[in-house]
Amino acid sequence: MNIKTALLNGVQTIEIARPEKKNALTMAMYEAMAQALRSAQADSAVRAVLITGQPGIFTSGNDLEDFMQRPPQGLDSPVFQFMQALLACDKPVVVAVTGAAIGIGTTMLLHCDLVYAADDARFAMPFTSLGLVAEFASSLLVPLYAGHVKAAEKLLLGDPFGAEEAQEMRLVNAILPASEVVNHARRVAERFTQLPPAAVRETKKLMRRAHAKLVQETIAVEGEIFGQRLRSPEAREAFQAFFEKRKPDFTKFQ
């Protein structure tokens, strides 16, 4: 039950519900989210999808222990199944972000349609600090949305940022008080029940058409390099330092 789903008033809610682990995502959770998205896509009663976390936490990204035990094995792994299911969903996807959205918690937003952030939301894409590279086409889309120099801060340095900066970077539609953001996002999602569904779907496809092939190519290239980096000495040092609760030492690497 770490991923909860419910259909209400034409809106399929996908709730990340593992607050005791800061909503860290396991491979089983990726599988559940992928299945929920595919089900929403196939169900004519669903007019929009709403993705939420828990009060004070959207997701802290990958559960590193689970991630190391079940690392991604090619583009058919659960994390890539989730990516493809989100890309394939031609119904509007609305997101309510509260608290931290780390790693894929930020990059998934690039593939959603309407994103509302709580004023306490915090974002980060700390891939390089783990010896890894950007994923989910973020190496393409973050520079495209925010510009190269801002993307360099967030993808090369891994600098965290708040809701206002996320809005400036065109990742977020609006910022609301934490107590209001989920209800606001739900009200927006429910607006699609009053609009002609086929027209909405076709418009979403048209909006994404120009970059669709390049996004898929980028995900594949990132995924290949990500897998290589996961086996690298730098990544081993980063993960070992995390589990040993110490600062990693990258000075020995060239």
Side-chain angles (χ1 to χ4, degrees), residues 48-187:
V49 175
L50 173 63
I51 301 177
T52 72
Q54 299 294 298
I57 181 71
F58 184 62
T59 174
S60 57
N62 287 316
D63 181 310
L64 293 185
E65 185 174 353
D66 179 81
F67 191 70
M68 293 306 293
Q69 291 175 352
R70 300 179 61 194
Q73 301 291 336
L75 296 180
D76 58 347
S77 66
V79 62
F80 288 107
Q81 290 180 28
F82 165 68
M83 291 181 184
Q84 292 302 324
L86 184 56
L87 288 174
C89 185
D90 60 12
K91 298 177 182 182
V93 179
V94 184
V95 185
V97 179
T98 54
I102 308 301
I104 199 167
T106 293
T107 60
M108 75 166 71
L109 305 179
L110 299 164
H111 306 280
C112 300
D113 301 296
L114 294 157
V115 180
Y116 299 96
D119 49 16
D120 68 349
R122 296 292 179 269
F123 304 83
M125 296 174 283
F127 303 112
T128 58
S129 65
L130 292 170
L132 304 174
V133 296
E135 37 85 312
F136 215 167
S138 56
S139 64
L140 167 70
L141 296 177
V142 175
L144 184 65
Y145 290 1
H148 178 84
V149 295
K150 183 62 70 174
E153 288 180 357
K154 309 311 178 191
L155 290 173
L156 295 180
L157 292 173
D159 284 356
F161 52 104
E164 290 187 4
E165 195 169 3
Q167 190 173 30
E168 293 170 3
M169 292 170 61
R170 303 176 183 176
L171 302 180
V172 167
N173 289 79
I175 303 167
L176 296 102
S179 61
E180 300 176 15
V181 65
V182 174
N183 287 336
H184 177 82
R186 174 168 293 282
R187 288 194 296 270

Side-chain angles (χ1 to χ4, degrees), residues 216-233:
Q216 290 284 7
E217 291 174 353
T218 303
I219 288 174
V221 172
E222 288 173 344
E224 182 178 354
I225 299 173
F226 193 100
Q228 295 169 1
R229 296 299 311 160
L230 196 58
R231 298 184 294 272
S232 71

Side-chain angles (χ1 to χ4, degrees), residues 182-222:
V182 174
N183 287 336
H184 177 82
R186 174 168 293 282
R187 288 194 296 270
V188 172
E190 288 178 350
R191 288 178 58 186
F192 288 104
T193 65
Q194 304 302 315
L195 291 169
V200 170
R201 292 194 304 271
E202 293 300 327
T203 299
K204 175 172 175 172
K205 291 177 185 177
L206 289 168
M207 290 172 64
R208 293 175 177 268
R209 175 178 172 272
H211 296 112
K213 184 178 180 181
L214 189 53
V215 164
Q216 290 284 7
E217 291 174 353
T218 303
I219 288 174
V221 172
E222 288 173 344

